[in-house]
Amino acid sequence: MRVYYSSAALIIAWLAVLGCIQAVTLEVKEGNSTCIKAELSASFSVTYNTSSSTRTVQFPLPNSTTVDTASSSCGTEESSPWLVAVFGPGHALRLSFSTNGSLYSVANLTLQYNLSDTSTFPDANSSGVITVVSASVGISATLNTTYHCVSPSTFAIGGATVTFSDMRLEAYMPGNELSPTESICMADPTSSTAPPTTPGTTTTAAPAPTPPGTPERGTYFVNKGNGTQCLLAQMGLQLNFTYFSRSQNKTVQELLNLTPNLTTSSGSCEASSASLVLTQGQITTLNFTFTLNSTSKKYHLSGITLLADRADATAPISASNSSLDYLRSTLGRSYMCNAEQTLAVVPSFSLNTFRLQVQPFQVTTDQFDTAEECQMDQDLMLIPIIVGAALAGLVLIVLIAYLIGRKRSHAGYQTI
């Protein structure tokens, strides 16, 4: 999910801070027990078509918002928990949750808006309800703690954006009240800066991490419902992230290799999008999203999301970017890059790949189709060719010089 800050979103967020937009409290209950509780301010920006042009409107989550008890759920072993908030004539905000046993996260964010609401969407050239969905928005926290994020965070989904601010949220709650222990989001200053030091003490920059070596190459795949493979990937992966260390009282950098035999793969395959989710134990989840342009027949890696839990971190590590443009290739072919690549995701997280080959669309067998190689591999192939050509040219020059010199020396001994 693309996270960014627009001027309109920041204005609405500051209005929320000043009290012009009040926070809404939402609870999902099962009997007398609360399983999901949220206290938040939210605003929306939607672009829609009129008869002559396009128009963008911004509107807040109103105080009259209620929980749809028929659609909301605490979840079961087979289904995820859902918080469904409804407001106005046919508008709704939905959040689904998932857990890996140590962290919980917002697995899906859905916005439903009704273009028939002429007070919100004047002059719309169509009517009816529009639903836009996005997966893995990067909101996560340790179980039995409250996710807290004062900073405005904006998520783009379809032609709309959702901005949360001053958000306090907990799912899989053991009690009826939000936990006093909080997981602070990375956007808030307390999650990225060290506490004040006492007079006479000094702080030092985080040392560079000790390289863990080249990661082992793993084979990962995603199956369709009928059991056939629809996405293939082989690669070595190395995570490079920073977080605030509780024991060292400073920001540290860590390199972590993904271990294939400890990692499981899952995901989904759609006509124009595919996802690969890699989970190592219960502490690290890495989500890749691939997007296909049906017009150009080109696909690329458009999104990466990381959720990780480090015992020494003050909060779960969460990073997400859905506006990436990596691993570009043609439909019906695989993408291959044997050289080491660094995929920058956000300032605090990048991903190093080794001996990578991936095909997220049109997989017909359990083998990769013809590969399109990355520019780095092509450059590496050109180096020996260039060197060989240069040596051949040098030999030719020496040979020509020798022949010219020999011809001149023979000319000096001609009979008069």
Side-chain angles (χ1 to χ4, degrees):
M1 191 62 39
R2 186 182 180 188
V3 181
Y4 65 98
Y5 305 119
S6 66
S7 58
L10 288 172
I11 291 172
I12 293 176
W14 277 113
L15 288 174
V17 172
L18 294 172
C20 300
I21 300 176
Q22 297 182 3
V24 176
T25 300
L26 306 167
E27 292 185 63
V28 178
K29 291 179 173 289
E30 189 173 74
N32 295 324
S33 300
T34 301
C35 59
I36 304 172
K37 187 172 183 177
E39 297 174 355
L40 56 88
S41 298
S43 61
F44 312 96
S45 176
V46 177
T47 300
Y48 65 99
N49 294 322
T50 66
S51 57
S52 58
S53 62
T54 60
R55 186 178 299 179
T56 301
V57 295
Q58 286 92 25
F59 53 96
L61 187 71
N63 296 337
S64 58
T65 301
T66 59
V67 172
D68 183 353
T69 56
S71 301
S72 300
S73 168
C74 289
T76 64
E77 292 183 358
E78 292 79 24
S79 63
S80 301
W82 278 92
L83 167 62
V84 182
V86 293
F87 58 98
H91 310 308
L93 178 67
R94 301 185 179 94
L95 291 86
S96 74
F97 298 87
S98 63
T99 179
N100 62 8
S102 60
L103 300 174
Y104 68 89
S105 60
V106 175
N108 284 282
L109 174 64
T110 304
L111 175 64
Q112 173 185 299
Y113 56 92
N114 186 6
L115 292 176
S116 301
D117 178 9
T118 56
S119 61
T120 304
F121 304 101
D123 304 322
N125 67 352
S126 61
S127 60
V129 174
I130 305 296
T131 301
V132 287
V133 184
S134 182
S136 191
V137 295
I139 296 176
S140 67
T142 303
L143 280 174
N144 301 328
T145 69
T146 299
Y147 173 84
H148 191 188
C149 197
V150 176
S151 303
S153 301
T154 300
F155 305 97
I157 47 177
T161 63
V162 179
T163 299
F164 295 113
S165 58
D166 198 12
M167 184 181 197
R168 301 181 73 234
L169 168 74
E170 186 176 0
Y172 303 96
M173 297 173 62
N176 291 335
E177 298 299 330
L178 292 173
S179 171
T181 304
E182 295 185 335
S183 294
I184 308 298
C185 69
M186 296 182 69
D188 284 357
T190 53
S191 67
S192 58
T193 58
T197 57
T198 56
T201 62
T202 59
T203 58
T204 57
T210 303
T214 302
E216 182 183 351
R217 192 188 197 201
T219 299
Y220 311 104
F221 57 87
V222 177
N223 289 331
K224 292 182 180 178
N226 57 9
T228 60
Q229 295 180 359
C230 58
L231 184 152
L232 295 174
Q234 289 184 341
M235 52 193 168
L237 296 173
Q238 186 177 81
L239 313 179
N240 186 347
F241 53 85
T242 59
Y243 62 91
F244 190 81
S245 167
R246 184 184 294 106
S247 63
Q248 300 184 53
N249 198 32
K250 62 184 179 182
T251 299
V252 298
Q253 185 179 7
E254 182 174 347
L255 291 176
L256 176 67
N257 288 348
L258 217 61
T259 307
N261 61 0
L262 300 178
T263 303
T264 60
S265 62
S266 60
S268 63
C269 299
E270 307 295 340
S272 59
S273 66
S275 68
L276 171 64
V277 181
L278 302 180
T279 303
Q280 181 167 288
Q282 294 184 339
I283 59 172
T284 305
T285 300
L286 193 61
N287 190 325
F288 298 87
T289 300
F290 296 88
T291 301
L292 171 67
N293 186 318
S294 57
T295 303
S296 65
K297 305 298 182 183
K298 296 283 187 179
Y299 65 83
H300 68 283
L301 175 64
S302 59
I304 296 178
T305 297
L306 169 70
L307 297 175
D309 192 15
R310 310 304 288 165
D312 193 38
T314 56
I317 299 166
S318 174
S320 182
N321 191 335
S322 63
S323 58
L324 304 176
D325 188 8
Y326 296 128
L327 318 187
R328 182 172 288 273
S329 188
T330 305
L331 184 65
R333 295 191 175 187
S334 62
Y335 173 91
M336 184 170 68
C337 196
N338 287 313
E340 177 184 352
Q341 295 184 101
T342 297
L343 310 182
V345 182
V346 294
S348 61
F349 169 57
S350 61
L351 181 67
N352 302 327
T353 68
F354 302 78
R355 298 173 60 206
L356 179 146
Q357 188 169 8
V358 63
Q359 185 171 345
F361 299 100
Q362 282 195 357
V363 176
T364 55
T365 66
D366 58 354
Q367 301 293 325
F368 291 106
D369 286 324
T370 303
E372 291 187 356
E373 294 188 85
C374 65
Q375 189 61 48
M376 285 185 289
D377 280 3
Q378 295 177 28
D379 293 344
L380 290 174
M381 292 178 62
L382 285 175
I383 290 174
I385 296 175
I386 293 172
V387 172
L391 290 175
L394 182 61
V395 170
L396 182 62
I397 291 171
V398 171
L399 179 61
I400 292 173
Y402 168 76
L403 293 175
I404 292 174
R406 185 178 180 185
K407 183 177 180 181
R408 285 180 178 177
S409 63
H410 285 183
Y413 290 98
Q414 289 179 353
T415 302
I416 300 177

